[in-house]
Amino acid sequence: MKENVTQAFNFQTNPQIQGDDDGFGTQGRKTKQKKEAEEKVSKIKVYRGPQALELYLQSLQFILWKQCYTLIYNMGLPQEFEDVVKGLWALRLDKIDLGTEEAILHSSQETSRLEMDSQGGRGKERLSRTKPVPSLIDSLATCYLGIVILRLPISLGDLHQWAYKEDITYVRAVRFVPTVMKEKLPAQYLEALDTQSILEVDDIRKAVQELSLFYNQDVIKLTMPAINHPLLLFRYIRDLALPLEIYPTVRRTAKLLNVNFSFSQSNTRQKVSYFPEVALMAFLVIAVKIYYPFDTIDRHPRSLNDPGALAMDWEYWCQLQHDHDSRATAGGKLGRGNEIKVTESETFGLSGDQVDEYLDWFEKTYVDEQRARNHPRGYPEQLLDIFPTGKPGGSIKTPIHPEMERQTEEKALQHKLKAVQENLKLRKIIPDQDGDDVPSGEPINRLGSYYKRYRKVEALNPSAKSFHQAAAGLIAIKLHTLLVAVTQVESKLLAFRKRQLKAVEESGAEEAGSQNEGDETE
């Protein structure tokens, strides 16, 4: 079976049946071509059982190959990426039993098979090490693990955006499967290769976290390396337009807890902060809350060398972030990736240009005119000609090249960065004094004082909410998930601080006891 699946691309399509305008004007006469077409229709066989499962795996492998091809030749990933993904996929196939019919997926959105802890709200997830037949989202998870193995500075949010905007194959991936294969797939497998709903944030993260556990089974024992956190952290700071001075603080804070940003494989019940990118972003958020808090309390650094010597204008930052995020929908555009979110009631409020955008997307995603014309069971050609597809005059919309889009994105990011950096203001510097008091005797608010912990989304003020949403979007997780992860890391830091204070107290008690013993001896 494994050899057959790995040869999924070595197939030949059936020859097309040429007809004479579907027999127009031949009423009362039988033609040989029409008879051959009818015989071919009757001979189409839908596979069942292990044969159907093997064909499904071949179809999913074809989709995975298309994703790798796009990531290499359009997104600039190295050629070794395909070999790494191929190796991960081969290991996956070795653990699939073709005789287990119950492992068949019945929904393409059964993405990760994770169940939240029954007590809820604690940010723990129950993961399964026994993976059934892979689903469509597992192809994205496999690509991400390939990125991690090569230690490329590509985040989970990048992969989510590429799939969401259809830069890589995911939305209705079944349309890319050759017809000769789709004809023989049962309905449940065709549904598993289709997308019935929007790719939500957190979906890929859950699938990756479960897949990493699968590869760490006793039989495989493949431990994933740590993510390239130095470069990813730099990207987070840059994309969020934060001062670069915060970079060493994040690294030092993570080092205090001995966090190396690798995948945890210790047990099946994991906290969301165990995911490497989530943990890295949580440390960054904590550092921002220490040095650039979201309130209006005046805090004073001890010197110009403090990371928080400059103050952020969060209202101005929120305005720039909103303008940056709304570029895709500027000028009344629908925006790439937003077409699938349009509901029936919203269609009546679309402008003319938005309707054109939506219909262009719908035609590309759902309409397969070539198949309708050539398939023996397709519609008559005369009927198709009455309702032509495409724009009048045969004009075709020029697709946006990925490189041009990246250049446009880079210019927009540079504009945001420059605007935020120019608006930074220097805080009043107050050096250390006895008792940390100013000459008037009033206490000095230092950086980190009045630290605010946000446990719920409702507790966030507008500036804090805007920043947390932008941070969560960079790694494709929900806002609530990020708050849970930050709370978990804050609890670890608090426990570390308590251990430090306890050790200092014990050390002081031992020194005092030794001194008393010496006095008694004298």
Side-chain angles (χ1 to χ4, degrees), residues 331-334 346-358:
K333 296 180 181 179
L334 198 58
E346 292 174 344
T347 55
F348 295 100
L350 297 179
S351 64
D353 292 338
Q354 289 176 335
V355 170
D356 287 341
E357 285 185 70
Y358 181 78

Side-chain angles (χ1 to χ4, degrees), residues 237-335:
I237 294 175
R238 184 171 180 268
D239 291 347
L240 293 171
L242 298 172
L244 192 57
E245 289 79 6
I246 204 173
Y247 181 92
T249 302
V250 178
R251 297 289 302 274
R252 288 196 300 267
T253 308
K255 192 174 182 180
L256 289 176
L257 300 181
N258 296 320
V259 177
N260 60 359
F261 302 105
S262 60
F263 288 89
S264 175
Q265 309 290 349
S266 58
N267 52 60
T268 58
R269 178 167 293 184
Q270 300 195 2
K271 297 180 178 180
V272 293
S273 60
Y274 287 177
F275 193 85
E277 280 202 64
V278 177
L280 182 60
M281 184 60 75
F283 279 106
L284 177 59
V285 171
I286 291 173
V288 169
K289 290 165 64 177
I290 292 175
Y291 292 109
Y292 312 103
F294 304 101
D295 53 35
T296 58
I297 300 175
D298 290 331
R299 297 173 177 84
H300 304 284
R302 291 179 171 86
S303 69
L304 289 173
N305 295 326
D306 286 352
L310 297 174
M312 292 277 293
D313 185 348
W314 283 112
E315 291 186 3
Y316 185 63
W317 183 95
C318 292
Q319 178 185 346
L320 290 172
Q321 185 66 33
H322 177 268
D323 295 341
H324 183 81
D325 293 339
S326 59
R327 289 177 303 109
T329 57
K333 296 180 181 179
L334 198 58

Side-chain angles (χ1 to χ4, degrees), residues 4 13 23 83 128 230 261 279 297 299 361 376 400 417 423-424 453:
N4 293 337
T13 56
D83 296 331
S128 173
F261 302 105
I297 300 175
R299 297 173 177 84
W361 170 82
I400 301 176
L417 274 170
N423 200 55
L424 292 175
R453 299 182 67 181

Side-chain angles (χ1 to χ4, degrees), residues 78-242:
Q79 293 285 346
E80 302 82 44
F81 175 73
E82 183 176 357
D83 296 331
V84 173
V85 172
K86 186 185 298 183
L88 292 173
W89 180 250
L91 289 173
R92 184 71 180 274
L93 293 179
D94 286 337
K95 302 305 173 185
I96 297 177
D97 184 3
L98 290 179
T100 56
E101 188 75 20
E102 66 274 5
I104 297 175
L105 294 176
H106 295 283
S107 171
S108 64
Q109 293 307 308
E110 188 179 353
T111 55
S112 60
R113 295 163 297 277
L114 281 84
E115 297 179 358
M116 292 301 294
D117 185 55
S118 58
Q119 296 181 1
R122 300 190 178 182
K124 293 183 179 180
E125 295 172 335
R126 191 182 304 277
L127 304 172
S128 173
R129 288 174 179 261
T130 306
K131 292 281 289 183
V133 175
S135 61
L136 181 59
I137 199 171
D138 287 331
S139 63
L140 296 179
T142 305
C143 289
Y144 180 79
L145 290 180
I147 290 171
V148 171
I149 290 175
L150 292 177
R151 293 183 58 79
L152 301 175
I154 297 175
S155 71
L156 201 64
D158 294 329
L159 196 63
H160 179 271
Q161 283 297 310
W162 292 337
Y164 186 76
K165 294 182 177 180
E166 302 184 45
D167 290 328
I168 60 175
T169 303
Y170 182 78
V171 177
R172 295 217 70 239
V174 67
R175 60 190 156 125
F176 298 102
V177 178
T179 304
V180 69
M181 301 175 72
K182 286 190 288 189
E183 288 176 344
K184 297 177 175 61
L185 280 174
Q188 66 267 29
Y189 287 115
L190 288 173
E191 185 180 2
L193 295 174
D194 203 349
T195 46
Q196 304 299 323
S197 60
I198 304 172
L199 177 64
E200 298 288 352
V201 292
D202 262 337
D203 287 345
I204 304 180
R205 176 192 66 82
K206 294 176 182 179
V208 169
Q209 202 160 4
E210 188 180 29
L211 194 57
S212 66
L213 281 177
F214 167 79
Y215 284 119
N216 195 54
Q217 291 182 104
D218 295 335
V219 180
I220 300 178
K221 271 300 181 187
L222 175 62
T223 302
M224 295 296 162
I227 61 174
N228 193 343
H229 56 277
L231 291 183
L232 282 174
L233 176 59
F234 174 77
R235 280 199 57 196
Y236 296 162
I237 294 175
R238 184 171 180 268
D239 291 347
L240 293 171
L242 298 172

